[in-house]
């Protein structure tokens, strides 16, 4: 792969190359470095950890992610979509496990069979770094932790966590891709008038693992996201390339804290996840559960994302979210797409690019943060409700009949490039339409019952239908 140094925007104007410092060499940082490097900018990528390509896997941090349309588009723009899809495992729906071990399939898209892909975090990061390293204008620096920064001047100070050696750098543009606890964002938060909120939910997570069968095959049907919904908590499992499953238990910390010994754990699993004991293995379950502590889940909302034309934050640094919609990585990758489109449109007018990104992107970021929080309730509880399943079937029918008009919420989020804020507005419009239709049908039913009740002298029939309709409309 060779760098493309020709810099033009959509208006055909030549743009100058920038010296860009990308702080954070994770998924979003390495992808955005590729986007900028492909456009000919000089990129210095700083990561405070060691090179993930030579590091051991971090225990307790999810090793697989759900790749959907938004992330695929950003990867396609740097020529990596096909390579990642070949590695990923397609998941075409949810497979729900009840207390008796029975399983039920709920497809993501019954009409077109669209799917999301389970991809390994480490593998994806390695592919992105390998691709970036092939560009002579992209330089990778590891063990570089940002200590301080003068964002107005583009000056940064780094320290090596192992040797304690300090280094200084300067850039035309600083891009913070350094996660939920971003050092770049900490510098921005110091500025007056900055909106920032950090919310920890009362639920944490802990990772377990389902090994392959003795024959070396998947222990469960592997083209699904498996869910054990239990009302106030849940467990999920995503397939890996080595035929293992990454299992994540989400529940309140009070529940975690109540499990103090092997007996407590096995009793808990026999009560709520009996079929998972044999899948995981009793000894492995006990070992993995007590090996690490449950981790916290945080949601971060802030704005603006930029400091003039000198600095910007993207990915989790700008909008960390709980993982229940599988959009954290995809939203971060979409940040790269949005910024690249603005670079294409405005050349090297960085002030305009960053201001436009910040002014428009925050609303979508806040929307997907809220959707992710809502989806936890859906996954752990609502998926078992008749009302949820009825609404899903109705959405599928209307989507089949009116594919350009009626797009279900999940489809719009995972399988389209509709703005996240528009996805929510679209859902509210659909709810309003269905409420009106239900109301009209109910009034018609009451009128019909009244007519036949009056005609045949059966007023009990009128009262029965009227009462049912009122309950349905939540007016009683």
């Amino acid at each position: 792969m060779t760098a493309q140094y020709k810099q033009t925007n959509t208006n055909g104007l030549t743009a100058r190359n920038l010296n860009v410092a990308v702080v954070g060499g994770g998924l979003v940082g390495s992808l955005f470095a590729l986007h900028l490097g492909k456009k000919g900018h000089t990129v210095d990528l700083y990561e405070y950890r060691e090179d993930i390509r030579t590091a051991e896997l971090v225990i307790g941090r999810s090793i697989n992610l759900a790749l959907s349309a938004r992330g695929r588009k950003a990867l396609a723009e740097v020529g990596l979509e096909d390579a990642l899809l070949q590695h990923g495992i397609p998941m075409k729906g949810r497979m729900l496990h009840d207390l008796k071990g029975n399983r039920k399939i709920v497809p993501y898209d019954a009409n077109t069979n669209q799917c999301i892909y389970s991809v390994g975090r480490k593998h994806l990061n390695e592919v992105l770094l390998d691709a970036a390293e092939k560009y002579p204008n992209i330089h990778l620096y590891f063990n570089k932790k940002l200590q301080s920064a003068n964002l107005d001047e583009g000056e940064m100070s780094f320290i090596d966590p192992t040797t304690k050696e300090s280094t200084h750098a300067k850039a035309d543009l600083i891009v913070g891709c350094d996660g939920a606890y971003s050092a770049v964002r900490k510098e921005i938060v110091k500025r007056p008038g900055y909106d920032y909120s950090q919310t920890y939910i009362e639920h944490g997570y802990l990772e377990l693992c389902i090994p392959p069968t003795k024959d070396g095959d998947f222990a469960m049907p592997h083209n699904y996201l498996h869910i054990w919904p239990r009302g106030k908590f849940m467990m999920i499992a995503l397939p890996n390339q080595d035929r293992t499953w990454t299992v994540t238990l989400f529940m309140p910390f009070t529940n975690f804290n109540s499990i103090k010994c092997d007996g407590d754990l096995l009793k808990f699993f026999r009560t709520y996840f009996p079929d998972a004991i044999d899948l995981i293995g009793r000894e492995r379950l006990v070992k993995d559960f007590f090996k690490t502590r449950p981790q916290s889940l945080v949601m971060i909302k802030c704005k603006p994302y930029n400091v003039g034309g000198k600095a910007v934050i993207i990915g989790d640094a700008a909008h960390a979210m709980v993982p229940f919609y599988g959009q954290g990585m995809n939203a971060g990758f979409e940040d790269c797409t949005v910024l690249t489109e603005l670079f294409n449109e405005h050349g090297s007018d960085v002030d305009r690019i960053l201001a436009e990104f910040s002014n428009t992107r925050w609303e979508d970021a806040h929307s997907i943060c809220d959707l992710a929080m809502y989806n936890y309730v859906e996954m752990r509880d609502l998926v078992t409700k008749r009302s949820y399943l009825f609404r899903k079937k109705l959405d599928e029918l209307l989507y089949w009949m009116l594919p350009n008009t009626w797009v279900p919420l999940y489809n719009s989020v995972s399988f389209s490039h509709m703005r996240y804020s528009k996805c929510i507005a679209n859902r509210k419009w659909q709810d309003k339409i269905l409420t009106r239709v239900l109301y009209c049908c109910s009034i018609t039913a009451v009128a019909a019952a009244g007519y036949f009740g009056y005609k045949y002298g059966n007023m009990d029939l009128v009262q029965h239908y009227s009462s049912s309709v009122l309950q349905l409309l939540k007016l009683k």
Side-chain angles (χ1 to χ4, degrees):
M1 186 184 297
T2 58
Q4 299 178 11
Y5 291 99
K6 186 178 180 180
Q7 268 277 59
T8 58
N9 62 15
T10 54
N11 297 319
L13 301 175
T14 302
R16 67 184 178 91
N17 290 335
L18 302 169
N19 292 316
V20 183
V22 175
V23 181
L27 300 177
V28 175
S30 52
L31 178 61
F32 193 51
L34 275 170
H35 276 250
L36 292 172
K38 185 178 179 181
K39 295 182 67 60
H41 299 294
T42 299
V43 182
D44 291 325
L45 180 67
Y46 299 95
E47 168 57 40
Y48 87 88
R49 296 186 180 92
E50 61 182 313
D51 190 339
I52 195 173
R53 294 171 293 182
T54 59
E56 292 185 6
L57 187 66
V58 178
I59 297 174
R61 191 181 185 195
S62 179
I63 63 172
N64 49 10
L65 301 154
L67 177 65
S68 54
R70 299 171 197 270
R72 289 176 58 179
K73 180 180 179 181
L75 290 169
E77 289 166 343
V78 293
L80 294 177
E81 179 188 17
D82 291 340
L84 269 303
L85 291 186
Q86 290 174 11
H87 168 82
I89 299 173
M91 298 183 295
K92 53 189 177 183
R94 299 165 174 168
M95 184 170 284
L96 309 181
H97 296 239
D98 68 15
L99 286 169
K100 296 180 179 180
N102 299 315
R103 301 172 182 177
K104 181 176 183 177
I105 295 172
V106 180
Y108 289 131
D109 186 344
N111 296 327
T112 60
N113 294 318
Q114 295 188 88
C115 62
I116 59 178
Y117 289 80
S118 175
V119 295
R121 177 190 294 273
K122 188 173 188 293
H123 176 79
L124 176 52
N125 210 163
E126 289 173 346
V127 169
L128 292 171
L129 290 172
D130 285 343
E133 207 166 42
K134 294 177 182 178
Y135 282 84
N137 52 322
I138 300 178
H139 313 112
L140 309 181
Y141 301 96
F142 299 97
N143 294 309
K144 300 295 182 185
K145 183 177 181 179
L146 182 67
Q147 275 193 305
S148 62
N150 183 334
L151 300 181
D152 293 304
E153 300 298 327
E155 297 174 345
M156 297 157 289
S157 177
F158 296 91
I159 188 171
D160 188 317
T162 56
T163 66
K164 306 303 179 184
E165 179 184 355
S166 296
T167 56
H168 301 276
K170 191 169 184 178
D172 300 320
L173 171 63
I174 298 173
V175 184
C177 307
D178 47 343
Y181 305 101
S182 169
V184 176
R185 189 186 64 238
K186 287 179 181 178
E187 297 294 333
I188 303 178
V189 170
K190 298 175 184 177
R191 295 170 174 265
Y194 192 75
D195 292 333
Y196 172 79
S197 69
Q198 174 179 285
T199 305
Y200 283 93
I201 66 173
E202 63 180 9
H203 297 238
Y205 73 95
L206 189 145
E207 289 189 357
L208 306 167
C209 178
I210 294 176
T213 63
K214 292 181 180 179
D215 298 330
D217 203 355
F218 284 103
M220 303 183 293
H222 65 279
N223 291 125
Y224 300 93
L225 168 64
H226 288 252
I227 306 178
W228 289 256
R230 297 297 181 261
K232 293 184 178 180
F233 51 86
M234 72 173 182
M235 192 166 69
I236 67 171
L238 278 80
N240 298 313
Q241 279 288 339
D242 61 1
R243 290 176 169 74
T244 63
W245 293 82
T246 297
V247 182
T248 310
L249 174 61
F250 299 96
M251 65 180 181
F253 282 103
T254 53
N255 291 82
F256 278 116
N257 295 336
S258 68
I259 301 174
K260 301 182 183 299
C261 63
D262 299 5
D264 292 341
L265 176 62
L266 293 173
K267 181 181 178 180
F268 175 78
F269 265 74
R270 280 194 292 266
T271 302
Y272 296 106
F273 310 111
D275 62 326
I277 297 176
D278 289 337
L279 290 169
I280 298 172
R282 178 172 171 169
E283 292 183 4
R284 183 162 192 163
L285 171 61
V286 172
K287 178 183 177 182
D288 288 352
F289 186 91
F290 291 106
K291 181 168 55 180
T292 58
R293 296 179 60 83
Q295 303 296 306
S296 299
L297 293 167
V298 65
M299 177 178 70
I300 290 173
K301 295 180 179 179
C302 60
K303 66 174 184 177
Y305 297 146
N306 69 305
V307 175
K310 301 298 294 185
V312 66
I313 53 174
I314 63 176
D316 282 354
H319 44 71
M321 65 194 71
V322 293
F324 306 114
Y325 226 115
Q327 286 295 304
M329 173 187 68
N330 291 286
F333 281 7
E334 189 174 59
D335 288 344
C336 301
T337 295
V338 173
L339 275 169
T340 298
E341 289 173 351
L342 290 172
F343 270 97
N344 290 339
E345 183 176 353
H346 303 307
S348 54
D349 187 351
V350 188
D351 290 272
R352 184 175 181 183
I353 291 168
L354 300 192
E356 189 169 331
F357 173 79
S358 190
N359 291 336
T360 58
R361 188 61 174 163
W362 73 265
E363 185 177 5
D364 295 319
H366 288 196
S367 296
I368 189 56
C369 283
D370 293 336
L371 281 173
M373 197 73 79
Y374 159 78
N375 213 44
Y376 184 31
V377 178
E378 177 177 305
M379 292 175 71
R380 77 184 193 220
D381 188 26
L382 299 183
V383 290
T384 63
K385 306 293 185 183
R386 290 183 179 179
S387 57
Y388 168 83
L389 297 173
F390 173 76
R391 173 60 187 269
K392 184 168 179 59
K393 291 292 185 182
L394 181 58
D395 277 335
E396 289 173 355
L397 174 62
L398 293 171
Y399 184 38
W400 176 74
M401 296 172 61
L402 305 165
N404 296 322
T405 303
W406 195 278
V407 183
L409 178 62
Y410 189 89
N411 296 64
S412 65
V413 171
S414 297
F415 303 131
S416 84
H417 303 290
M418 184 186 298
R419 290 183 57 178
Y420 288 124
S421 55
K422 176 64 176 176
C423 293
I424 291 181
N426 190 52
R427 175 70 172 200
K428 289 180 178 178
W429 170 80
Q430 292 172 352
D431 289 343
K432 188 174 181 180
I433 293 295
L434 290 180
T435 298
R436 288 181 176 178
V437 170
L438 179 62
Y439 182 82
C440 292
C441 291
S442 301
I443 294 299
T444 302
V446 171
Y451 170 76
F452 286 107
Y454 175 79
K455 182 176 182 180
Y456 297 105
N458 187 356
M459 297 309 297
D460 289 340
L461 179 66
V462 179
Q463 184 177 1
H464 170 73
Y465 273 99
S466 299
S467 177
S468 299
V469 168
L470 289 173
Q471 289 181 11
L472 186 63
L473 294 174
K474 298 181 180 180
L475 295 177
K476 183 177 181 180

